[in-house]
Amino acid sequence: MREITGFNMTQTINVVDAMCGAGKTSWAIQMINDTEKVGFGTSEQYEKKYIYVTPFLDEVDRIQKATDIDFFEPEAKGTKIKSFEALITLGKSVATTHELFKRLDLNILDVIEEKGYTLIMDEVASVLEQYDISKSDINLLINNETIEIGENDKVVWLDDDYKGEFSDMKILAQSDNLILQNGVAMFWTMNTRAFEAFDDVYILTYLFDAQSQCNYYKANDIKFKKYSVKNTGGIYELIDYDPKIEPRKEVYEKLNIYLDDENNKKKSPLNSNYDSREKLTQKQRYYQLSSSWFRKTANPEDLKQLNNNLRNYFRQVESTENKYIFWTTISDFAPKLKNAKCKWNKNNDRTNDNFVALNARATNSYGNCTSMAYVYNRFVNPMEKNFFREYEIEVDEDKLAVSDLIQFLFRGCIRNNEPMNCYIPAERMRTLLKRWADFEI
């Protein structure tokens, strides 16, 4: 068991845990706009300064337009991180992306603490990432005395003059953010100062208990409290967390989820025709469409059949124009599943297709889409699972899987309380979604 090392944080993280569309962002905007001014004349200013973090640049623009406080966005001139530092040094409120936030170093966090900021984080942060390095390279760096493994498996960089292949790793290690797990896997973890430095922290998300950020808080002994959002006549308030107020059944009933019709032989069984189902064990069926299934089990015929299924679903089962479709799978396999209905742009320009990343959150760009496909069976990366197990923290894989699925569903028109067609070929994912609707998860 790895020792839990807290950072003596006195504040409790506020987690606003509510379904998509419940009003989390609206509550945050309302809170910002309710901020009072202090001082007089030219010295008048708002009593609070904010850093608003969101996954996408278009959401930064939305916050700037919806709030009375002047939110500044770091400029691309020079480097955005330098622009961010200049803004907070001046005490400006800043709206930025998750990608920039995770690059904040200890010096910038010290300025944030000195100036007294409130953090509002729209959706959870990427607090844990596996660093891509082989075991042999790790041993080489150790043997060359470039690194050593210190207390609690922290990677300590020894060679200050190093300018080789792993220079990016040097930066992570020098920020006290790199951990070696069991001598074979290296992880970057967000420094807890990223949350400790703020006067108040609000995380806007859903099913927080399933997220890596929740496990990260537990591993670092960071306290948090969950809240639900209540909307009374357009006025939003936080109340004690209560999932029972969520309209799960109403949402589920508006999802037209495709199921094989075994009694009608004329219909193609799109949920089971890509495998030799009668020959599979229950365990094999459970893991179908997972990452390991795609990479180790699926053969070209399986992928071809899935490709045909997607095309047939959007042409014959639920005939939908391409502009009203959004779909996803593992990005590596999207080129093999793309077709005339499910578009994928090889130049990674997502504006020219209807493919949406598996981890897409906090975007309203697909709210007009009436049909979707989720060709994936979500499990936790085994290395990440083992990482948290070192702290005696068990990851809830089922809750994480359904959390990601719900986030993806709510990119489409269901977020506007409109019926939506759903092709979800993984049996486990359909089962978990039904269990969520029945409040079993």
Side-chain angles (χ1 to χ4, degrees), residues 142-397:
I142 293 174
N143 293 335
N144 288 345
E145 297 185 349
T146 306
I147 65 171
E148 67 177 10
I149 310 305
E151 186 177 358
N152 284 326
D153 298 330
K154 286 284 183 73
V155 177
V156 179
W157 200 271
L158 302 176
D159 185 358
D160 291 336
D161 297 325
Y162 181 87
K163 295 181 181 179
E165 177 184 356
F166 299 103
S167 293
D168 57 337
M169 176 182 163
K170 173 184 175 181
I171 295 172
L172 297 177
Q174 289 179 335
S175 297
D176 200 29
N177 285 10
L178 211 56
I179 293 174
L180 181 64
Q181 180 196 5
N182 296 330
V184 295
M186 199 168 282
F187 285 92
W188 167 86
T189 62
M190 184 174 286
N191 196 301
T192 56
R193 284 281 292 151
F195 301 98
E196 182 194 23
F198 291 89
D199 290 350
D200 293 292
V201 177
Y202 296 90
I203 309 296
L204 315 181
T205 190
Y206 184 51
L207 294 180
F208 181 68
D209 291 347
Q211 310 302 327
S212 291
Q213 190 165 339
C214 178
N215 297 323
Y216 160 88
Y217 283 169
K218 292 177 181 178
N220 289 283
D221 197 25
I222 296 174
K223 298 177 177 61
F224 62 89
K225 182 178 180 180
K226 296 194 297 180
Y227 297 90
S228 295
V229 178
K230 182 179 180 181
N231 178 5
T232 306
I235 304 299
Y236 298 88
E237 63 175 314
L238 299 187
I239 61 175
D240 288 340
Y241 178 67
D242 181 11
K244 292 298 183 181
I245 69 173
E246 298 172 4
R248 296 186 182 187
K249 290 186 181 296
E250 293 85 342
V251 169
Y252 188 78
E253 288 172 357
K254 288 184 179 292
L255 298 175
N256 177 28
I257 302 171
Y258 171 82
L259 299 174
D260 289 344
D261 187 350
E262 297 178 358
N263 297 318
N264 188 346
K265 301 302 182 183
K266 294 182 180 180
K267 287 189 176 181
S268 176
L270 305 184
N271 290 333
S272 56
N273 66 355
Y274 54 86
D275 58 60
S276 302
R277 184 155 292 229
E278 68 279 1
K279 298 179 182 179
L280 299 178
T281 65
Q282 185 175 357
K283 182 177 180 180
Q284 287 172 324
R285 289 175 61 178
Y286 183 78
Y287 286 102
Q288 279 189 304
L289 297 177
S290 64
S291 293
S292 60
W293 182 86
F294 271 104
R295 301 185 193 287
K296 299 178 182 179
T297 303
N299 57 44
E301 288 73 26
D302 292 330
L303 298 178
K304 182 179 180 180
Q305 187 63 62
L306 279 171
N307 183 308
N308 291 336
N309 289 354
L310 286 164
R311 183 173 60 251
N312 291 341
Y313 177 76
F314 292 120
R315 274 185 173 171
Q316 300 175 13
V317 179
E318 299 295 344
S319 180
T320 311
E321 291 183 55
N322 289 9
K323 64 181 179 180
Y324 298 121
I325 294 170
F326 69 113
W327 73 289
T328 196
T329 188
I330 302 175
S331 58
D332 291 354
F333 288 84
K336 297 180 180 180
L337 298 185
K338 69 173 183 177
N339 54 57
K341 302 301 291 183
C342 296
K343 299 292 187 177
W344 183 85
N345 187 276
K346 66 180 180 179
N347 294 323
N348 203 32
D349 180 3
R350 297 283 74 85
T351 61
N352 288 331
D353 60 28
N354 52 18
F355 179 84
V356 181
L358 279 166
N359 60 351
R361 293 170 179 257
T363 176
N364 303 324
S365 301
Y366 305 91
N368 66 326
C369 292
T370 57
S371 298
M372 60 78 71
Y374 189 91
V375 190
Y376 187 50
N377 188 2
R378 174 74 157 101
F379 289 92
V380 179
N381 181 314
M383 291 293 188
E384 180 177 330
K385 193 173 180 179
N386 291 335
F387 178 89
F388 286 118
R389 192 168 282 163
E390 290 282 323
Y391 295 94
E392 296 189 344
I393 296 168
E394 287 298 325
V395 176
D396 190 332
E397 292 198 89

Side-chain angles (χ1 to χ4, degrees), residues 92-111:
K92 304 296 185 181
S93 289
V94 179
T96 189
T97 61
H98 280 271
E99 188 61 31
L100 184 64
F101 182 82
K102 74 180 185 181
R103 291 164 51 199
L104 303 186
D105 60 30
L106 297 177
N107 291 330
I108 294 177
L109 293 171
D110 285 342
V111 178

